[in-house]
Amino acid sequence: MASAEATGGPRILVVGPSWVGDMVMAQSLFMTLKARHPGCRIGVVAPPWSLPILERMAEVDEAHGLEVGHGQFGWGARRALAARLKGHFDRAIVLPRSLKSALVPFLARIPRRTGFTGEQRYGLLNDRRRLDKAVLDQTVKRFVALGMPAEAAAAGDFPIPRPRLAVDADNLVELRLAQGLSSRPAIGMMPGAEYGPAKQWPLAHFRALAEALVERGFEVRVLGGPKDVEAGETIGAGLEHAHNLCGKTRLADAVDLLADCRQVVTNDSGLMHVAAAVGTRVHALYGSSSPAYTPPLTGNAEIHTLSLECSPCFQRTCPLGHTHCLTRMAPERLLAALLAEPFGGEG
């Protein structure tokens, strides 16, 4: 790796988050670091699944996959990675607040290690910041704050650059051919939400919206991971010009397919943040979660929420057993919002 003198700036290692949406939002930190430290070199420690997303970020100079299963401590893997990184970085920023996430920078003997106080990480971090949740009231603000001087971070007085993922036009052409996609204007649908069912708009609503869109000349693309295959079938089965792409594409493919959509309808999920980061019009559905905490970071979004007395509850499943915050959000509302946009029809 090049020295700090050769790169013209500090060498900064960021320990990244473990969720798709959070990794997209971490780009706001990377952009901030590049703006504040011209010539700096940014490395990211991240789960292997997230490496294709990091490859689409111009600010990331190198990425290091940490192969540790969910919930596992992974002492051996962390120690081995730290040995490879030792002597290569001047500073580390640890985004997760767990103890184990701070181990690699500590074991690599990176001189300055910044992060929020949490899980008794005294010693592991030597630049500990107190998290004021009232000031840093969004996930992305918390990420960016760790790249700012402590005083500015504590005041919450700093800009938040919007993530922007690169799109691979050649890969998109191959995907369109391989998946048999049409020339109809495409609407993306993302029915999944890893956190739980209290964040998921009913599949019957997605299905009704898909039928109405196909009837009006659109193509519907349902995107998600292997866990969303059944949901995709519920939405698109037997419906011409509706494509269930769940589990059939890589994460990097989703970036390109979403960039090719005119608009998307999505739960508060990781793919919502991907769609926002490629500039596609986002219709974001919020039930148990709050758009004030994890909004799509784009000026091209419409938030759909009923703001019931019982929401946001931030629970995985509805404590009242009815999920009215989502079930009462009618497909007709989303259809009207989609059709209100310029280029909303086949034209």
Side-chain angles (χ1 to χ4, degrees), residues 54-68:
L54 293 171
E55 290 173 359
R56 299 301 185 93
M57 299 181 183
E59 300 78 16
V60 176
D61 297 293
E62 57 185 87
H64 302 274
L66 179 60
E67 190 74 65
V68 176

Side-chain angles (χ1 to χ4, degrees), residues 191-194 200 222-233 244 246-247:
E194 283 289 327
Q200 297 173 341
V222 187
L223 292 104
K227 294 180 181 178
D228 303 311
V229 172
E230 187 175 341
E233 280 302 303
N244 178 16
C246 298

Side-chain angles (χ1 to χ4, degrees), residues 154-230:
D157 184 21
F158 47 82
I160 305 291
R162 290 171 175 167
R164 192 68 180 179
L165 299 175
V167 176
D168 185 336
D170 292 336
N171 185 50
L172 176 59
V173 170
E174 293 178 6
L175 287 167
R176 290 178 66 98
L177 291 172
Q179 300 296 337
L181 304 180
S182 72
S183 59
R184 284 184 163 208
I187 304 295
M189 291 187 175
M190 289 88 93
E194 283 289 327
Y195 186 71
K199 289 177 70 173
Q200 297 173 341
W201 202 43
L203 293 179
H205 288 6
F206 272 112
R207 171 71 185 198
L209 180 59
E211 291 174 346
L213 288 169
V214 168
E215 184 179 327
R216 286 163 174 79
F218 291 91
E219 174 180 85
V220 171
R221 300 174 184 173
V222 187
L223 292 104
K227 294 180 181 178
D228 303 311
V229 172
E230 187 175 341

Side-chain angles (χ1 to χ4, degrees), residues 56 166-169 171-172 175 221 250-261 274 278:
R56 299 301 185 93
V167 176
D168 185 336
N171 185 50
L172 176 59
L175 287 167
R221 300 174 184 173
R250 305 165 302 165
L251 186 54
D253 296 334
V255 174
D256 301 326
L257 288 166
L258 288 170
D260 188 48
C261 289
V274 173
V278 295

Side-chain angles (χ1 to χ4, degrees), residues 34-213:
K34 288 289 186 178
R36 294 194 67 248
H37 306 285
C40 74
R41 184 172 183 85
I42 296 177
V44 181
V45 172
W49 62 258
S50 68
L51 300 184
I53 286 287
L54 293 171
E55 290 173 359
R56 299 301 185 93
M57 299 181 183
E59 300 78 16
V60 176
D61 297 293
E62 57 185 87
H64 302 274
L66 179 60
E67 190 74 65
V68 176
H70 182 68
Q72 295 181 355
F73 195 82
W75 171 254
R78 296 178 196 278
R79 186 171 57 182
L81 178 57
R84 295 198 301 272
L85 299 179
K86 191 172 183 179
H88 289 266
F89 291 93
D90 309 300
R91 178 184 176 190
I93 297 175
V94 182
L95 297 185
R97 297 180 63 200
S98 63
L99 183 147
K100 60 188 177 184
S101 63
L103 282 172
V104 168
F106 173 76
L107 294 172
R109 298 295 185 262
I110 296 174
R112 182 182 175 194
R113 305 180 298 278
T114 302
F116 290 116
T117 299
E119 286 198 4
Q120 303 298 317
R121 299 194 291 183
Y122 303 104
L124 295 181
L125 302 176
N126 54 18
D127 176 24
R128 293 190 305 277
R129 308 280 183 88
R130 185 180 72 88
L131 174 58
D132 186 337
K133 294 183 179 180
V135 174
L136 303 177
D137 57 352
Q138 294 180 342
T139 299
V140 68
K141 289 182 183 178
R142 297 172 187 180
F143 290 171
V144 173
L146 291 176
M148 301 296 296
E151 185 174 339
D157 184 21
F158 47 82
I160 305 291
R162 290 171 175 167
R164 192 68 180 179
L165 299 175
V167 176
D168 185 336
D170 292 336
N171 185 50
L172 176 59
V173 170
E174 293 178 6
L175 287 167
R176 290 178 66 98
L177 291 172
Q179 300 296 337
L181 304 180
S182 72
S183 59
R184 284 184 163 208
I187 304 295
M189 291 187 175
M190 289 88 93
E194 283 289 327
Y195 186 71
K199 289 177 70 173
Q200 297 173 341
W201 202 43
L203 293 179
H205 288 6
F206 272 112
R207 171 71 185 198
L209 180 59
E211 291 174 346
L213 288 169

Side-chain angles (χ1 to χ4, degrees), residues 229-253:
V229 172
E230 187 175 341
E233 280 302 303
T234 299
I235 295 168
L239 191 58
E240 189 178 9
H241 299 296
H243 300 268
N244 178 16
L245 303 179
C246 298
K248 298 180 181 178
T249 56
R250 305 165 302 165
L251 186 54
D253 296 334

